[in-house]
Every structure is written in structure tokens, then in C-alpha cells.
Amino acid sequence: MAAKSNLSIITVIWKMFSRERTQRKCVIGVFMCMTLLWVIYEYVTLRTVGRMKPLQDLHLSEKSAALDSISKEKFRNEEEESNYMSEFLHINVRCEKWAHQHSIVLNNTGVRNILLGRWSLFFTNIEAREGVYQTQAVDSCPIEISHVNGRFHRLDIKPCVKELSAGKLMVFDLDGFNFASYAQLYNGWYVAFDDGRTTKRLKYRIDYSGDNFRPESRFDWSFVLDQGSDLNRILPSPKSTHLTHDEPIDISGWVVCTESEIFKKNIQTFTDIFSLQSQFGSCPDENAIHFIRSWIRQPNEEDEYYRINLKQNEIEIIAASDRGGFYAIQTLRSLAEATEDGSLGYYLPTGTIEDEPRFSYRSVMIDPARNFIPKKHVISLIETMGMYKLNKLHFHLTDDEGWRLAIPGLPELTSIGGSRCHNGHECLYPQLGSGPNRLSLGSGFYTISDYEDILRVAEANKVEVIPEIDVPGHSNAAIKAMAQRFKKYAGTSDDAKGEEFLLRTENMGSSSSGQFFGDNVLEPCIESTYRFIDHVVGEVVKIHSRVQPLRKIHLGGDEVPHVEYSYDMESCQNNPLTGINSTSDTHKHLLRYFYEKVIRSISSKHHIDVVTWQECSELLTKPVDDTDMFVNVWKKSDKELASDLANNGFKVVLSTAESLYLDIRQEPDVSEVGLAWSSPYINDQTVFGFTPDEFYLDDGLVSSHRSNIVGMQAHLWGELITSVDIFQSQLYPRLLPFAERAWSKADWESPKMTQVASYNLQKKDWESFANMIGYKELKRLTMREINYRIPPPGVREIEEILYANTMYPGFVIMYQVQCTEKETTIPCMWRIYDESNPPKRTVDYDSDSRIKFVTVDGPRRSREIEFTIFLDFSFGPV
């Protein structure tokens, strides 16, 4: 019947278009075309699915039956089912910091039932909990959460029911725990079917509550006098400046020149930055930037001292080395980029600058082992370090979660140790939210070519790269990679290749690290362990030799978990050099044996210095064979340790976790990315206020050994660095006050100054520094495409007027009064906060208004904060 009806419609249309003399109006033509398309659609529908009515046109009973039919339809295969779950199974985790219970909600938002029992869910939780947890669902279905390894967990639903029905929820309650940031919690969810071949990422949302930094507290915290601009301050501050901007020098068209061979690279750097002409040999009498070599002190190729004389017709740069010349260029660059948008200008003041660093060791540590950092962004960091006179990059290339540098002869280190996936055999298990495949920053490594590119940029920016191969703990990635190599060659004619670099045997006792990894310690009594380290170090030395000769290597040595060795462990009994016996503290004894053997080998064979974390140096008590050993001291609670190690001959690098760990959150608020184990927060002002002298002025450091306190280091551990944006916003702008303190000693640090005088002078210095950052340095970072953190605004109501500010002056602040259900005359739109005409109660907002504030920087914004009026009827408005 329907087919006949369709044919009659087609006949009518055909006749209308067959009459040549019939008027064909435009509108009728369009209508007829649409009708024809409808006929074709009806015909196709008949051929495919029959005369099924659309779901919305069905009566209630029909709709219910249709939905029931769809929901009961079985998935054809795992791929189809996993695709459905990826789209429609939504996970909501609810975490309240102060409650003792968290909830996991599984929500089937689609129209098909999901069968239980054939798949498991996987996720990461930084605050890992070991063991198995039995929990109870609202419909009496228990779940089991098991710890796989590290921070990686598995969730299984015991199938007391067959399926999670369409449109239904399952809610599971778990024991709660303390946390500092939403970024620590239950992330990277995915589903995997029993055979592990089918995996899919799932949609998830974390609802959380906990520390909430009040806008009023932030307002008081951020209060500095807005000076309008401070473009002429140099970062880091030179030791001495005498400048006048009354008659600026225009250096456009000038010539850069030198008679000294040592400054040839400096000449090239200067011309690259300023696009000026250069010449080697004699210099013009005027309009010249003249590099002059002069030994101010004893001859020293590492001398970083420089002096700049800025005259109307000549600029003299006097230095003893190309390092001093390079830093003089960065100082002039800072003055030239003192423009409204941070771009390069050609006007410089007249006067003199004399400068040298406070410390020779000004280091930044980054951690691509936990989450990979692409080469482009490592290079960007190195270039920025050069700009701010930071001179060491501590490159944490290996850890439990990853091995990131290609080593010739050992491809398994990167093919397995450099990637994460679900099966855990061809790769490492997913950690830190990286998901079931290799598409996130959980996977990746630097090829030899990549690493050489990084070294070239570092060499040009006077940054020494110090690679870290973390041993004997934190070695899960290396152990797994070499175990797979052993399996690959086992039973073949090349089985010796598998044994050659084996790092752990069944003789080794079990352990669990602070990051919940089992068996992540190299076995100290087998020669293949030392053969492996020797091979790796030797290859790293070769790679460096082509671009930047290796001078230091970091061997880690931190957080080695206690291993239950047996003094009669076969591998140790077969190695009499260990010297252990039934009365030994076997764990410490073997660790000391390991460190001494490795350090002695590296020092004698490669003639390079070794750097370790403080745990290794504490165990050794003095440098091995009187070599130069550097040590990162990170525990502020043991201030005497820095002095003790320096007195014992170690070169001490202050690495205080309470002030210099940039993976700590920047505000005491759960909405911030970051941990809080060493401090509730570390913000820019915390870093600015760090006083290195307190570690050795009053703690028994022998005066002859004070030179052994060689520097300080900022650290960005990578557990929560799951994107490049997070990498940059955790580093910047906190790295700028670090550069200031590492290079320049402030007047307010003097121990001769009273506490009140020091506080007042520091407050004044911070105000000047904050204005420089806000009006100058952030613009320079923007020009380099660096996405620094934009601080959220502080807000306080005073006498029914709202006042707002930010940590750094110069930002735009916007606010929005949230509409309520009741009628209001106050418009609900985003408005620019005007400091000269701030919002007033009853005019711009009501006493019960919820007001959102945000800091704006071009197209980017801070996170939004909400301000509400809290009335305390005893004391008035808070």
C-alpha cells in the first residue's frame, strides 16, 4: 500500500515537470525537490528497517517495549561493547577531604545494558592504597579494588547481578583518605576485557571538596602596591648598578666586535639577538659594542664575572670568560626588552653594571621519567634558563615509571621502559593516568639525535646538562626491560645476551617502595648489574662527547626501600667482595658496597664527577676516594646535615623540599595542581623568601669548608605533569624568584639586620619584584610562547565595597554576579573590574549574591573563584 502511494506521488511530480508551458515558480520547484527527497527517504527506510515509527512518536507502552528490545540486544563482539562503554559508561568519583568515605558511581547513560563479569576497570591513584578493599554497592554488589603496581589499580565488580541496565547507576563506597589536589585522585580510567586485547578509555569526572583558599585570604596575601610599571629592574639583580635613563643610547646600526678569540661565540649570540653587524679584530672608535677580556681575579675559564660600561658612543663588555660575556648579553637583553609588550628594543641606559653570581651551581631539575616532556619544551626551558642565568639542568631520565634515553645496544630500555600500555609485557603498566595505549605523555623517549639537539641548545646557553640514571632504587623500568631481554634470548643460541645485563634474580628479597612499587631495586651482588651500569654510563659519555663533554652524572641513590636480604643469599656468598656476614646490617652494608663500587668505577674510568641525593652521601659519610662528589640536600628538617656533609668534603647543593619543590601546589586549595607533603603550598613569594645562608651560618660549618655549599636547585617532579600546560604553569613564574635568589643575595638576608628591619626591607623588595614580573617579565615569557600560571584574584569586601587584586600587578580582573531565580535588576554578565570605581553592594551586587572572579591575560584566564558575603552578626562583615 505504501509503495503504491509513493508511486502515485512520483507520477504527479513527473506530470507537473513534464508540462513544458507550465509556470515553474522558484518556490514550487524547491518544494517539489524536498518532496522528492522525502519520497526517496521513505523508500529507503522501507527497504532497510521497515515501517518502524520514530521513538518519540510511539505511545508510552510502545516506547517501553522498543527500549526494552534495544537494551536487551546483545553486543556482537568486545570491540562493539567497548566502544559503547567508551561513549556511554560515565564514571563519577566523589571525594570529600574531611569525610572518611569516597564514592565511585558507574552511570550507564545509553540505551543498552552492559553485561558484568567480562571486563575490569583500571585507574591511577597517587595516594595509592595497598591490598584489596571490599566495598558494598547500593544494590548489594561488592567490588574488589586491587593494587597492581605503583599507583596503578584494578576494579572488579563481582557479578551478583548480570548487567548494569540502561539508564541505571551503580554506587560504591570506599574508605576515604587525605589529599591535597584533585589531580591526585582516581584518574586515567579505562576498561579492559578479560583477554586484555580490547581496551578503551572511559569518560570520568572527579567531584571534590577540601582545602578552599578563601578570596579574602588571597587578597591579603597578594596585596602589593601597584607601581604602574617597573621595566628597568634587571632579573636576576646585578651585584651593582649605576644607570641613568635620561639620555638613552640607540644601538641600532652599531657594530659588535672583539679582538679576543674567546668571545667569538658571544659575538655571534649578540648579533643573533639584536640583528647587528659584527667584526673580529680591531673595533671602530664609536658606535661599537666592544668585548674585552680582562682577568679581574685569578685566571679561570669558568669565571662568570662581567662588567658593562654603557657610554653614548660605545659599550664595553669586560669579562674573563665567554660565560661572563654571555651573562653580560642577557643583562643588556633584559634592558632592551623593557618594552610595553616585552619585544626587543634598541634603546639602552647609560652607566655601569658590575656583576657576578652568588652561587656557581644554579640548577633546575625536571622529571620526564614520570611523564615525558617533548624535546621542544625542554629546549624552551633551557633557552629561558640561559636568559635568567641558570646554568645546570638536572635531567631525571630514569625512574620506576619510565626510561627516556635511547642507549645503543639496549633497545629494550626504550621499547619497553619508554612506553606504557595495558598488557605490561611489551611495555610498562599504565601509571599516573596514562591510559591503556601509548598516546599520552606516559610514553616517549629521546632518541640520540633528540638528546644531541638538547645538548647543542644547552651548550649555546651555558647550561650544563647533568643526566640522572637513578640507581639502585627507582629502577622498575630498567629491571622490567632487562627481564624481557632475558626472556627474548632464553633458550636461543644467544642466551648469554640475556644474562649479560640481567638486573635481578629470584635470589633477591622482596620490597615495596614509597611509591608502592614492588621489587624496584637492582641486585647488588651480581656482576651483570655493574656491567649494565658501566654500559649505560659509557654510552652516555659517548653521546655527550660529540656536543657537550659530560662532566657530571647523577646516580640517584634516594628512597631505596628496605630489602629483606639474607646474608647467605647465593649471589652474595659467591661474591666475597661484599664482605657480609651473619652480623651485618645487610641492607645498609650492600648499599654502601654498591655505591662505592659504582662511584669508584665511574670516577676512574670516565673521570667525571658523581652527584647523588642525600641518602647516598649520608651512608658513605665522605666522598669515595676523595673524588669531587656533589649532593642534593632536600630535607630542611635536618639543617645540620648540609653543614656536616660540607665539612666532610661533599659539594652541597641546597634542594630544600619546603621551599624549592615546584611540584608542590601553589595555594592551599584542592583546585590547584600539586602535592602538599613537604609544605601546604609553595608560591612565588615562598621561593623569593628562601634564605640559603640559614643552612650554614649557625650550624657548625667550618669556615674553610663554606665554599662546599656550591649552590641551590629547583625541582619539578613529574607525577602530576600530565600536559605541557601543567609543566609550564608549575615552573613559571616560580622559576623567576628562584633565579633571583640563586644569583643575587638580597640586603635583607644579612644576619646583622634585626628581624623587623629585615621583614620591612624584604616586603619592599618583593613589591618591586612583583611589579617587575607583572609588567615586564611575564610579557617576555609571552613572547616566548610560555603558558605561565595566571594567579586567581583575591577579593575582599570593605564597607560594602568589593576590592580585588592579583599576586602580580598588571592583569585585568573580571567578575560576574550570578543570577538567581528571583528577579533582579543586576545584569548577569562578565564585567571588567575597575579599581577606580569598584563594585558596590546594592548597586552592583546584593548581600546574598554569588560572585565569580577571574584574572584575564589576553586569551588566557586563571581558574574562576567564587566570592560570597559571609555575615557574622557578632562582628559585622568578614
Side-chain angles (χ1 to χ4, degrees):
M1 184 71 185
K4 185 175 180 180
S5 173
N6 288 336
L7 288 172
S8 63
I9 292 173
I10 293 172
T11 303
V12 171
I13 295 171
W14 174 253
K15 288 180 179 180
M16 288 182 65
F17 278 84
S18 297
R19 296 171 187 167
E20 296 179 359
R21 289 182 294 274
T22 302
Q23 294 182 353
R24 295 172 184 172
K25 302 285 187 180
C26 212
V27 175
I28 295 176
V30 171
F31 174 75
M32 291 298 101
C33 289
M34 292 176 66
T35 305
L36 182 60
L37 290 172
W38 176 80
V39 169
I40 294 170
Y41 170 76
E42 283 285 299
Y43 179 72
V44 172
T45 303
L46 264 175
R47 293 292 301 272
T48 53
V49 296
R51 296 296 295 170
M52 182 181 288
K53 293 182 182 180
L55 200 59
Q56 61 268 27
D57 293 339
L58 294 175
H59 294 298
L60 187 61
S61 59
E62 294 175 301
K63 184 183 294 186
S64 176
L67 282 173
D68 188 54
S69 174
I70 295 171
S71 66
K72 291 180 179 177
E73 183 181 345
K74 291 185 177 180
F75 294 102
R76 288 173 293 182
N77 50 49
E78 289 181 359
E79 185 67 24
E80 183 182 39
E81 188 170 3
S82 66
N83 286 335
Y84 174 86
M85 294 173 73
S86 178
E87 181 66 27
F88 297 109
L89 180 60
H90 294 187
I91 297 174
N92 179 210
V93 184
R94 301 167 183 169
C95 303
E96 295 182 38
K97 179 171 182 176
W98 310 120
H100 296 290
Q101 205 170 60
H102 295 168
S103 297
I104 297 175
V105 181
L106 306 185
N107 184 3
N108 182 357
T109 64
V111 295
R112 300 178 72 175
N113 299 339
I114 300 174
L115 294 176
L116 302 179
R118 300 192 307 126
W119 45 264
S120 302
L121 302 180
F122 294 86
F123 63 92
T124 289
N125 180 5
I126 296 295
E127 293 294 330
R129 290 293 179 270
E130 295 207 60
V132 177
Y133 295 85
Q134 300 290 343
T135 60
Q136 199 72 18
V138 291
D139 51 5
S140 299
C141 255
I143 63 169
E144 180 177 280
I145 295 179
S146 53
H147 174 241
V148 181
N149 202 12
R151 280 73 174 262
F152 184 49
H153 297 264
R154 170 175 178 157
L155 185 153
D156 289 291
I157 304 172
K158 295 188 175 181
C160 59
V161 294
K162 291 195 302 182
E163 57 195 20
L164 174 55
S165 301
K168 299 294 185 180
L169 305 173
M170 297 185 84
V171 182
F172 307 98
D173 293 328
L174 298 83
D175 292 337
F177 55 84
N178 196 8
F179 59 93
S181 168
Y182 75 93
Q184 297 171 263
L185 302 169
Y186 304 100
N187 55 36
W189 288 85
Y190 69 90
V191 62
F193 283 76
D194 289 342
D195 59 10
R197 289 179 298 177
T198 305
T199 61
K200 281 289 187 301
R201 284 182 176 270
L202 300 177
K203 297 177 181 178
Y204 67 94
R205 187 181 81 241
I206 311 295
D207 293 329
Y208 56 90
S209 62
D211 296 337
N212 183 16
F213 196 43
R214 289 286 301 275
E216 296 91 339
S217 300
R218 189 183 296 107
F219 179 87
D220 299 339
W221 192 15
S222 302
F223 188 81
V224 295
L225 182 64
D226 188 340
Q227 299 172 353
S229 67
D230 197 346
L231 301 180
N232 296 320
R233 179 166 175 168
I234 299 164
L235 177 62
S237 300
K239 196 169 186 178
S240 170
T241 58
H242 301 280
L243 300 175
T244 175
H245 295 265
D246 296 338
E247 297 182 31
I249 312 166
D250 181 1
I251 65 168
S252 58
W254 284 29
V255 174
V256 189
C257 59
T258 186
E259 297 87 0
S260 176
E261 188 78 23
I262 200 169
F263 293 124
K264 270 193 169 181
K265 289 182 180 179
N266 293 146
I267 296 294
Q268 187 60 52
T269 300
F270 202 106
T271 56
D272 288 346
I273 294 172
F274 287 90
S275 301
L276 299 178
Q277 296 297 315
S278 64
Q279 68 182 53
F280 182 75
S282 60
C283 287
D285 293 334
E286 59 182 22
N287 297 343
I289 297 140
H290 189 186
F291 281 79
I292 303 169
R293 191 176 196 188
S294 176
W295 298 109
I296 308 302
R297 291 177 287 265
Q298 290 294 107
N300 180 2
E301 296 298 331
E302 301 299 312
D303 196 341
E304 296 174 308
Y305 169 92
Y306 68 89
R307 178 185 174 93
I308 307 174
N309 298 323
L310 297 112
K311 308 171 187 176
Q312 282 295 332
N313 60 355
E314 182 187 28
I315 296 175
E316 294 177 333
I317 297 175
I318 302 167
S321 70
D322 66 333
R323 292 179 181 275
F326 178 81
Y327 294 135
I329 295 170
Q330 302 311 313
T331 294
L332 292 176
R333 186 183 197 176
S334 177
L335 290 169
E337 290 179 349
T339 57
E340 290 298 324
D341 62 355
S343 61
L344 186 74
Y346 286 88
Y347 287 94
L348 298 173
T350 56
T352 61
I353 300 170
E354 193 167 11
D355 199 10
E356 63 182 333
R358 170 189 209 159
F359 289 122
S360 62
Y361 198 116
R362 307 176 299 279
S363 181
V364 178
M365 191 222 77
I366 57 173
D367 177 16
R370 265 55 180 270
N371 279 301
F372 186 64
I373 304 166
K375 178 181 76 170
K376 170 184 175 182
H377 300 288
V378 176
I379 286 175
S380 171
L381 169 62
I382 291 171
E383 291 173 338
T384 309
M385 288 173 63
M387 192 166 81
Y388 293 114
K389 304 183 177 77
L390 298 168
N391 68 345
K392 314 285 182 192
L393 178 68
H394 174 172
F395 213 2
H396 188 76
L397 292 168
T398 75
D399 213 298
D400 295 315
E401 297 89 346
W403 184 289
R404 305 303 185 185
L405 178 61
I407 300 295
L410 296 176
E412 298 85 1
L413 285 174
T414 47
S415 65
I416 295 169
S419 63
R420 298 182 198 151
C421 64
H422 175 69
N423 68 33
H425 302 298
E426 302 166 358
C427 55
L428 303 180
Y429 280 124
Q431 298 285 346
L432 309 174
S434 57
N437 51 47
R438 296 173 169 87
L439 300 179
S440 72
L441 291 184
S443 297
F445 66 92
Y446 306 109
T447 65
I448 293 174
S449 176
D450 289 335
Y451 193 72
E452 288 178 338
D453 288 344
I454 290 169
L455 292 178
R456 267 186 283 274
V457 175
E459 186 68 9
N461 285 273
K462 308 304 175 191
V463 173
E464 178 188 355
V465 175
I466 304 171
E468 180 179 357
I469 309 299
D470 201 348
V471 291
H474 287 285
S475 295
N476 173 70
I479 290 169
K480 298 300 181 189
M482 292 302 95
Q484 284 300 112
R485 178 184 174 90
F486 176 79
K487 289 179 183 178
K488 181 173 72 172
Y489 289 112
T492 72
S493 58
D494 289 330
D495 58 353
K497 286 185 177 180
E499 297 174 356
E500 183 180 13
F501 298 115
L502 193 63
L503 299 178
R504 195 177 173 98
T505 69
E506 293 179 356
N507 292 320
M508 189 75 166
S510 62
S511 61
S512 180
S513 75
Q515 291 75 32
F516 306 98
F517 281 92
D519 303 339
N520 74 337
V521 182
L522 305 183
E523 189 165 343
C525 294
I526 54 176
E527 279 305 305
S528 53
T529 290
Y530 303 99
R531 197 178 299 122
F532 170 83
I533 295 171
D534 184 63
H535 179 85
V536 169
V537 173
E539 293 300 325
V540 173
V541 169
K542 288 179 187 176
I543 297 169
H544 270 258
S545 67
R546 297 190 285 268
V547 183
Q548 184 188 72
L550 188 65
R551 299 166 61 194
K552 300 181 187 69
I553 191 166
H554 204 298
L555 293 180
D558 63 317
E559 298 181 325
V560 181
H562 187 85
V563 179
E564 292 299 330
Y565 298 104
S566 170
Y567 78 89
D568 59 353
M569 195 165 77
E570 182 180 352
S571 60
C572 293
Q573 284 296 307
N574 292 336
N575 186 346
L577 294 177
T578 61
I580 63 169
N581 54 57
S582 58
T583 61
S584 299
D585 181 340
T586 311
H587 177 71
K588 286 186 177 181
H589 191 104
L590 289 179
L591 273 182
R592 188 181 296 111
Y593 167 76
F594 173 88
Y595 292 139
E596 289 176 348
K597 182 177 175 68
V598 170
I599 293 169
R600 189 171 286 120
S601 171
I602 290 173
S603 298
S604 61
K605 188 172 185 177
H606 301 291
H607 308 290
I608 57 178
D609 297 330
V610 170
V611 191
T612 70
W613 296 103
Q614 69 179 54
E615 292 95 322
C616 173
S617 302
E618 288 178 276
L619 193 64
L620 294 173
T621 67
K622 66 178 182 178
V624 175
D625 297 339
D626 295 321
T627 57
D628 278 347
M629 279 190 65
F630 293 75
V631 54
N632 293 107
V633 176
W634 57 272
K635 294 180 183 178
K636 184 178 180 180
S637 57
D638 190 3
K639 287 172 60 176
E640 293 79 9
L641 179 63
S643 297
D644 292 342
L645 292 174
N647 285 334
N648 289 338
F650 290 97
K651 307 294 184 184
V652 173
V653 182
L654 302 176
S655 307
T656 317
E658 289 91 335
S659 302
L660 303 177
Y661 270 39
L662 305 187
D663 55 310
I664 301 299
R665 61 185 182 176
Q666 304 190 51
E667 285 188 358
D669 195 303
V670 290
S671 297
E672 288 283 329
V673 174
L675 305 174
W677 65 268
S678 69
S679 176
Y681 65 89
I682 294 176
N683 68 2
D684 307 53
Q685 202 166 356
T686 308
V687 180
F688 183 82
F690 178 65
T691 52
D693 287 3
E694 70 177 281
F695 282 84
Y696 52 87
L697 284 178
D698 301 315
D699 289 314
L701 182 61
V702 178
S703 58
S704 61
H705 292 141
R706 288 193 176 179
S707 61
N708 282 340
I709 306 287
V710 296
M712 50 192 278
Q713 178 169 291
H715 312 72
L716 183 58
W717 295 101
E719 286 96 333
L720 303 183
I721 310 301
T722 54
S723 72
V724 170
D725 279 347
I726 294 176
F727 172 68
Q728 293 188 335
S729 64
Q730 292 296 100
L731 274 176
Y732 305 104
R734 285 189 290 184
L735 202 58
L736 306 191
F738 172 79
E740 173 76 0
R741 202 51 56 235
W743 180 275
S744 175
K745 181 175 179 177
D747 292 340
W748 47 263
E749 293 186 69
S750 171
K752 298 178 181 179
M753 192 173 289
T754 65
Q755 189 172 359
V756 172
S758 176
Y759 171 81
N760 290 333
L761 195 57
Q762 181 183 351
K763 184 178 178 182
K764 183 179 178 181
D765 191 22
W766 168 251
E767 194 166 88
S768 169
F769 187 86
N771 276 271
M772 173 190 61
I773 297 296
Y775 283 108
K776 178 183 176 183
E777 298 304 329
L778 295 185
K779 292 178 173 59
R780 297 180 75 198
L781 296 181
T782 298
M783 293 293 292
R784 289 157 178 82
E785 299 182 349
I786 291 172
N787 290 331
Y788 48 82
R789 176 180 181 265
I790 302 174
V795 185
R796 181 175 282 282
E797 187 187 47
I798 302 172
E799 296 181 352
E800 300 191 354
I801 297 176
L802 279 183
Y803 295 93
N805 63 7
T806 60
M807 173 175 285
Y808 294 121
F811 285 113
V812 173
I813 298 173
M814 298 187 73
Y815 69 98
Q816 179 192 53
V817 179
Q818 296 295 291
C819 288
T820 57
E821 294 182 1
K822 69 177 185 178
E823 292 185 5
T824 177
T825 57
I826 300 171
C828 306
M829 63 180 70
W830 283 101
R831 288 176 280 180
I832 294 177
Y833 173 80
D834 182 358
E835 189 178 37
S836 64
N837 184 27
K840 300 172 180 62
R841 198 194 288 191
T842 71
V843 177
D844 301 294
Y845 63 96
D846 297 323
S847 59
D848 59 349
S849 293
R850 292 167 51 245
I851 311 168
K852 287 186 175 181
F853 280 82
V854 68
T855 308
V856 179
D857 183 27
R860 299 198 304 129
R861 294 181 165 208
S862 71
R863 61 182 173 85
E864 294 179 3
I865 59 107
E866 188 172 292
F867 180 82
T868 54
I869 309 298
F870 287 91
L871 298 180
D872 183 332
F873 294 103
S874 300
F875 300 96
V878 177

